[in-house]
Amino acid sequence: MKKRIFSGIQPTGSIHIGNYLGAIKNWVQLQNEYDSIFCIVDLHALTNPQAVLKMQEKILDLATIYLSAGLNPKKCILFVQSQVPEHTELTWLLNTITPIGELERMTQFKEKAQQFKQSINMGLFDYPVLMAADILLYQTDVVPVGQDQKQHVELARMIARKFNHQFGETFNLPEALIYKNSAKIMSLSDPSKKMSKSMSQGCLFMTDSPDIIKDKIRSAVTDSGSEIKYDPKKPAIANLLAIYSAFSELSSNQIEQKYKNKGYADFKKDLAEIVIKGLEPFQEKKKALDKKPDFVKKILVNGAKKARKIARKNIFEAKKKMGLV
Ligand code: AMP
Ligand code: TRP
């Protein structure tokens, strides 16, 4: 039996190369080896009040991005979270065994609570339990995510262990799978912050035109000195090297050799070319698929059917163990 992977992204706007290198690009490889399920987590997106706007458009866009990046509905299940109601049902069951103290510890919650000081909604607090439900509902073995989600996967594992202990063996214990090089792509304008949609300045989007890519890379901040060399004390060049390496499949060492007697200008010029080339097949496919929304929607409907079949069986087990059926 193949091991199962599950992962998801929120439909909250454009996807950047952090999402691509930290998540989707790896999924495209993984779908060949694993029993794979990839989700568009619209219920998670609802915790951000602005996300509610144009939700259907954003869902369709993210689905189109998944497909254009190389996820193949013949090899994996692609679906929208809210189309499988068992996710919310399991969330409630898991809520009843999740200690509040654990949720208060979550870094993402603490950050978001800072950001939305006046209006921290309950969903933001419960976000990691919904994510645990996503993962456990499919008896997931492996969860490929960026570094920032590791804590949430560990919480899902803790909840599964607690459930099994209290009600008998029910859930698989999931493990996070994190790719070292691209686990955390940083902002091009501030390498101390992670690249994110909310900081459009230093953010390279998957759909940026070649000119914009050149511009953004040319104006990316650099460290003091002029050497192209990995140094943990020089976060800007370390980040550009990580991006170069991920798009070229060359190691940091090989890239350092290549630019031994060259400066930042040459390096950045080549980096822009490599990123443009790397994104070209994706961008072409996306343009074509954007014209076929019905085709994409059908894939999602089919995906939800397949996902629901698995979900139904597992929610029944969980309810039975808890004495509800
Ligand atoms: P989000 O955009 O927060 O929904 O994240 C979707 C996926 O992309 C998750 O697996 C994240 O861990 C990953 N991700 C988000 N931002 C980055 C980043 N800057 N570098 C690497 N991975 C990221
Ligand atoms: N919380 C994840 C993020 O912000 C998205 C997500 C929701 C997820 N459910 C998941 C990722 C289940 C992996 C598995 O990136």
Side-chain angles (χ1 to χ4, degrees), residues 186-225:
M186 310 309 280
S187 160
L188 298 179
S189 53
D190 179 356
S192 71
K193 299 213 168 75
K194 120 180 153 160
M195 184 176 284
S196 87
K197 303 167 210 185
S198 50
M199 311 178 41
S200 60
Q201 257 296 309
C203 189
L204 255 187
F205 293 106
M206 294 281 289
T207 46
D208 279 345
S209 69
D211 282 344
I212 290 179
I213 294 174
K214 280 182 198 158
D215 241 33
K216 286 185 178 171
I217 291 182
R218 195 184 319 117
S219 51
V221 299
T222 46
D223 311 281
S224 56

Side-chain angles (χ1 to χ4, degrees), residues 7-10 16 18-19 22-23 144-149 182-186 194-197:
S7 197
I9 296 182
Q10 302 182 54
H16 52 76
N19 301 129
V145 280
Q147 179 69 36
D148 62 334
Q149 295 300 316
S182 49
K184 203 166 181 190
I185 301 295
M186 310 309 280
K194 120 180 153 160
M195 184 176 284
S196 87
K197 303 167 210 185

Side-chain angles (χ1 to χ4, degrees), residues 2 8 17 38-39 42-43 45 53 65 75 88-90 106 108 127 135 141 154 178 188 211 256-258 292 295 321:
K2 280 188 190 175
I17 62 163
F38 299 113
C39 188
D42 55 346
L43 297 173
L53 296 168
I65 287 172
K75 295 183 184 170
T88 41
E89 198 176 356
L90 183 59
M106 293 292 120
Q108 182 175 303
Y127 181 110
I135 295 168
D141 298 294
E154 275 162 10
I178 297 181
L188 298 179
D211 282 344
E256 285 171 10
Q257 284 303 318
K258 194 168 164 178
K292 298 201 266 182
F295 170 77
K321 290 275 176 42

Side-chain angles (χ1 to χ4, degrees), residues 6-10 19 27 39 41 44 81 108 112 127 130-132 134-135 143-145 148-149 152-153:
F6 182 102
S7 197
I9 296 182
Q10 302 182 54
N19 301 129
W27 303 354
C39 188
V41 291
H44 277 108
Q81 189 184 33
Q108 182 175 303
K112 293 260 161 90
Y127 181 110
L130 176 58
M131 179 161 161
D134 296 343
I135 295 168
V143 187
V145 280
D148 62 334
Q149 295 300 316
H152 289 159
V153 179

Side-chain angles (χ1 to χ4, degrees), residues 60 63 67 73 78-79 83 292-306:
L60 189 62
L67 293 167
L78 294 178
F79 77 106
Q83 292 185 4
K292 298 201 266 182
D294 291 340
F295 170 77
V296 177
K297 282 182 197 161
K298 212 165 130 195
I299 290 172
L300 294 177
V301 170
N302 274 334
K305 266 190 210 145
K306 287 189 213 160

